[in-house]
Amino acid sequence: MLQLQYFLLLGAALFCIGIYGLVTSRNAVRVLMSIELLLNAVNLNLMGFSNFLDSAEIKGQIFTIFVITVAAAEAAVGLAIILTIYRNRNTVDMEQFNLLKW
Amino acid sequence: MNLAEGVQVVSFGVLATMMIVAALGVVLLNSIVYSAFLLGGVFISISGLYILLNADFVAAAQILIYVGAVNVLILFAIMLVNKQEDYAPVANRWLRKLAAGLVCIGVFALLGTMVIATDWQIEPTNLTAAAGISSVVKIGQHLFSDFLLPFELASVLLLMAMVGAIVLARRDFLPADLSLTNQTTSLTLPEKSKELAALGGKTK
């Protein structure tokens, strides 16, 4: 029988992989992919809670739909920003984007 | 354990393995194109997990939006910024990777202990499925009653994101580049720039 804990552990693993990719990757597009991984990990948690703890009113699924909406908007705006940075700096290396660094 | 539960456990194992391996591939592979396709694999596996969680509508929405829209958008971005470059070496990069890996494993250990140690108040049966109500009906009732305002705000948010993405990604020619804009190669799009039109209006 499937347990809630399996899904929560899976979500935690996916979240940690996403955090690692977010911190260490140098390609800006890969950073966006890592953010998508993070959002999907959170969605997995919400869906697990919605199925196992709130199965009469499945409000976790509504939250997941809103998170998917915001993730789509975030992906579009993020890729537009990366495209603009690439035109200005002619690179997608995260180490070179240090204009606001102290 | 009867047959249905066995099938559930086996498919959960397969989907979870697929998801973790593909996610590690997204993060660790060198080629960004392989990463983008593996990201599609992660999304499809998560959609399968949603079906295991009795959520058919969200599983379909996951495939439609993530695999159909976000992943294709990322592939387009990779094609637009596809420059083969060798990144300049950074001092102590292995130390950063090691520290990030340790922190991630630590966070996973913390979350895992919390998940296992907590006494979850799990309901014995799935009430929506037991009552014979489809989850689509339930989601529709929620979206048009108590979640109506966030639902409408989401449409406004999508509109704002669309306008913002267009404004950010549009090519704007600076006046210093005016001599360049007259040379059209086969790669440039035949588009009229804002500043050129403004200058033309001023001189006349």
Side-chain angles (χ1 to χ4, degrees), chain B residues 71-126:
Chain B
N71 208 3
V72 172
L73 195 67
I74 286 176
L75 277 173
F76 267 108
I78 290 170
M79 281 190 270
L80 284 174
V81 298
N82 188 14
K83 190 175 127 191
Q84 297 295 326
E85 56 182 331
D86 296 324
Y87 298 127
V90 177
N92 288 331
R93 181 155 170 74
W94 62 273
L95 188 62
R96 289 194 210 175
K97 281 194 172 180
L98 185 69
L102 284 180
V103 167
C104 290
I105 291 173
V107 169
F108 178 69
L110 190 68
L111 287 172
T113 341
M114 185 273 293
V115 164
I116 291 171
T118 309
D119 181 27
W120 302 101
Q121 305 288 319
I122 295 182
E123 295 169 349
T125 54
N126 190 319

Side-chain angles (χ1 to χ4, degrees), chain A residues 1-30 32-34 36-37 39-41 43-44 47-49 51-59 61-77 79-84 86-87 90-96 101, chain B residues 1 5 8-9 12 16 19-20 23-24 26-32 35-36 39 42-43 46 49-50 52-55 57-58 62 65-66 70 73-74 77-78 80-81 83 85 87-88 90 93 96-97 100-101 104 107-108 111-112 115-116 118 120-123 125-128 135 138-139 142-143 146-147 150-151 154 157-158 161 165 168-171:
Chain A
M1 188 63 189
L2 289 181
Q3 302 286 329
L4 172 63
Q5 283 89 343
Y6 299 166
F7 288 95
L8 295 186
L9 283 176
L10 203 59
L14 190 62
F15 192 82
C16 292
I17 293 172
I19 288 276
Y20 179 77
L22 188 71
V23 174
T24 59
S25 60
R26 297 188 68 173
N27 194 326
V29 182
R30 202 189 294 267
L32 269 187
M33 291 189 209
S34 303
E36 299 296 332
L37 288 185
L39 289 166
N40 271 287
N43 277 349
L44 199 56
M47 298 291 283
F49 285 134
N51 188 45
F52 285 101
L53 304 181
D54 183 34
S55 57
E57 306 272 324
I58 39 175
K59 288 189 177 165
Q61 300 194 15
I62 313 281
F63 272 81
T64 304
I65 290 171
F66 285 127
V67 171
I68 288 176
T69 314
V70 175
E74 175 262 345
V77 175
L79 290 173
I81 290 173
I82 285 179
L83 215 58
T84 316
Y86 177 70
R87 285 205 195 111
N90 205 18
T91 179
V92 286
D93 187 3
M94 291 300 286
E95 300 286 341
Q96 312 257 330
K101 219 167 164 183
Chain B
M1 183 184 285
E5 288 180 359
Q8 276 187 357
V9 169
F12 176 82
M19 193 194 81
I20 294 293
L24 283 175
V26 168
V27 171
L28 297 178
L29 280 185
N30 276 325
S31 164
I32 188 84
S35 294
L39 189 68
V42 175
F43 292 154
I46 289 179
L49 290 173
Y50 288 172
L52 281 182
L53 285 169
N54 303 310
F57 176 75
V58 186
Q62 167 91 6
I65 296 175
Y66 270 113
V70 172
L73 195 67
I74 286 176
I78 290 170
L80 284 174
V81 298
K83 190 175 127 191
E85 56 182 331
Y87 298 127
V90 177
R93 181 155 170 74
R96 289 194 210 175
K97 281 194 172 180
C104 290
V107 169
F108 178 69
L111 287 172
V115 164
I116 291 171
T118 309
W120 302 101
Q121 305 288 319
I122 295 182
E123 295 169 349
T125 54
N126 190 319
L127 296 174
T128 303
S135 71
K138 207 80 182 174
I139 289 172
H142 275 304
L143 278 185
D146 45 354
F147 287 96
F151 183 64
L157 175 80
L158 283 175
L168 277 175
R170 190 178 50 177
R171 286 165 200 270

